[in-house]
Amino acid sequence: MSFVEYGDTIKDGDTAIVFLGHESMFPVKVQHGTVTQTKYGVIRHSMDLIGKKYGSKVTCSKGGWVFILHPTPELWTMNLPHRTQILYSTDISIITMMLELKPGSIVCESGTGSGSLSHALIRTVAPTGHLYTVEFHQQRAEKAREEFREHGVDHLVTVTNQDVCKNGFGVSNIADAVFLDIPSPWEAIGHAKSALKAEGGRICSFSPCIEQVQRTCLAMEEYGFTEINTLEILLRVYNVRTISLQIPDLGKAAEDNSSAGFDSSNPSNQGSPCTNLQQGTVQFKSGVPLREMVGHTGYLTFATKS
C-alpha cells in the first residue's frame, strides 16, 4: 500500500480508511490479530480485512457493514490525527496549481505540521520528484517521518527538524517551488530564495492574518520577487433540497373578466369561478447553502523568483 501507487488487496501493515458514511470515516492500521470497534460491531483484521480487495463491503459482528477504502491524500486530509491546524483540499488544490507542480518537481515546505499538504505534494511530484519538508517541533518531525514510512512514500520526502527562519531548508538552488506555513514567513523569504532554482521558481505563503501578509509582501519585494499577489479561497457548499412554493396570483383571470365588462358588484356575477380561485403549490429541487460553514481559513500569497 502506498499513497502514491494503488494496491489491489489489503495487506498486513497497511493504512486503510473505514467508511461508515459520507460524514463518518476513520483510518485504521491493519494488523494481524487486531480488531476494530465500530457502531456496527467488530471488524476482525485477520478475517475481514487482510487479503480482501480495497473497496470491499465488510459485514461487522452486529450485522451492519462498512466499506474499506484505499487511502488517498484527499481521504487522509479528512481523517488524519491533528497535531496542528491543517490545510484542506480547497486551499491545497489552488496551491498545487499556482506553484505549477508536476511529476519530477522539487518542493521545499515549512512547516510539516500534521502532513496534510505534504501528502498531496508528494503525490503530485511522484515518481521522480522530491519534497524537502522542515518542522521546528521535534516530536512532530519524528511523527511525520513515521507516517511517511508507514504510507510507503518515505523515499520521496526528506524531513528535517530545524528552524527554517534561522537555518533554511538545507538545500540550495534546486527547488522549483517553496511553501511556507509558519508564524513569521517574512523571516524565511531569504532562505526560500536561496533554495529556489536560479530563475522562475515559485513561492507561496499561507497566513491567517492580513498583517502577516503585508510584512511577507514587503520582504518578497525586498528580495526581488515579482508577480506578487494574494488570494483568499472561500468555499460555499450547497445542499439539494425539495422546496414548495405557492403559484403566484398574477391577476390574469381578473384582468380577463375586467376587459370583458365583468362587474363584481352585479349579483349575477358573484358565483363566477374567479371569485373561488385557489392558489396551488409547486415543488422543485433547489440548491440551498448551509446555515453554518467554514469561512476564512487564510490568505495565500504567491510570487515568482525573478
Side-chain angles (χ1 to χ4, degrees):
M1 182 279 303
S2 170
F3 276 59
V4 173
E5 299 176 355
Y6 182 79
D8 189 48
T9 58
I10 305 171
K11 298 181 177 63
D12 189 15
D14 281 3
T15 298
I17 305 297
V18 179
F19 181 88
L20 293 84
H22 288 291
E23 302 297 329
S24 179
M25 61 183 99
F26 60 88
V28 62
K29 184 175 181 179
V30 179
Q31 293 179 310
H32 184 77
T34 303
V35 298
T36 296
Q37 296 282 349
T38 74
K39 63 182 180 181
Y40 301 126
V42 171
I43 300 174
R44 295 159 295 184
H45 293 201
S46 301
M47 299 179 62
D48 300 329
L49 300 183
I50 297 176
K52 299 290 183 63
K53 288 188 176 183
Y54 278 106
S56 297
K57 183 178 179 180
V58 174
T59 302
C60 303
S61 61
K62 293 181 181 179
W65 47 266
V66 299
F67 287 104
I68 308 300
L69 306 181
H70 193 284
T72 64
E74 291 81 7
L75 289 174
W76 186 246
T77 291
M78 298 171 62
N79 295 282
L80 58 78
H82 285 234
R83 300 183 288 273
T84 60
Q85 292 290 332
I86 69 168
L87 290 177
Y88 290 92
S89 298
T90 307
D91 290 315
I92 291 174
S93 58
I94 197 72
I95 290 169
T96 303
M97 184 188 74
M98 294 293 287
L99 289 182
E100 302 173 2
L101 300 182
K102 59 186 182 299
S105 295
I106 305 297
V107 186
C108 292
E109 174 198 27
S110 183
T112 312
S114 300
S116 174
L117 176 65
S118 303
H119 282 80
L121 294 177
I122 292 169
R123 197 259 309 270
T124 302
V125 305
T128 56
H130 201 82
L131 172 66
Y132 294 90
T133 183
V134 178
E135 173 57 51
F136 176 78
H137 194 276
Q138 182 179 359
Q139 291 181 335
R140 288 201 292 263
E142 292 173 353
K143 185 61 178 177
R145 287 194 194 98
E146 180 184 344
E147 285 181 349
F148 293 142
R149 184 169 56 254
E150 290 178 352
H151 297 166
V153 297
D154 53 316
H155 62 292
L156 297 169
V157 56
T158 299
V159 182
T160 306
N161 172 221
Q162 64 186 29
D163 186 350
V164 71
C165 296
K166 294 181 179 179
N167 304 312
F169 293 93
V171 297
S172 299
N173 302 319
I174 65 169
D176 297 289
V178 169
F179 177 79
L180 298 174
D181 183 7
I182 54 178
S184 53
W186 56 89
E187 296 181 359
I189 299 300
H191 294 297
K193 183 177 181 180
S194 299
L196 287 168
K197 59 187 181 181
E199 186 178 1
R202 294 280 286 166
I203 184 174
C204 174
S205 175
F206 176 91
S207 297
C209 302
I210 196 64
E211 292 81 6
Q212 294 170 302
V213 174
Q214 292 171 330
R215 296 188 65 175
T216 302
C217 289
L218 291 174
M220 288 179 174
E221 287 183 341
E222 181 182 346
Y223 280 96
F225 284 89
T226 59
E227 300 179 325
I228 302 172
N229 64 89
T230 299
L231 308 175
E232 181 185 17
I233 312 301
L234 301 177
L235 176 66
R236 191 175 190 188
V237 179
Y238 283 79
N239 280 342
V240 177
R241 301 294 177 96
T242 300
I243 295 179
S244 297
L245 291 178
Q246 281 191 326
I247 300 175
D249 181 4
L250 303 179
K252 186 176 185 303
E255 291 175 3
D256 291 344
N257 283 301
S258 175
S259 61
F262 178 78
D263 183 4
S264 60
S265 62
N266 189 337
S268 63
N269 290 330
Q270 290 182 2
S272 176
C274 69
T275 60
N276 296 321
L277 186 64
Q278 293 184 352
Q279 286 182 257
T281 60
V282 61
Q283 291 187 335
F284 61 94
K285 299 288 186 180
S286 178
V288 180
L290 302 179
R291 292 184 178 181
E292 295 182 1
M293 64 183 71
V294 176
H296 170 76
T297 57
Y299 300 103
L300 293 170
T301 300
F302 297 91
T304 303
K305 183 178 180 180
S306 176

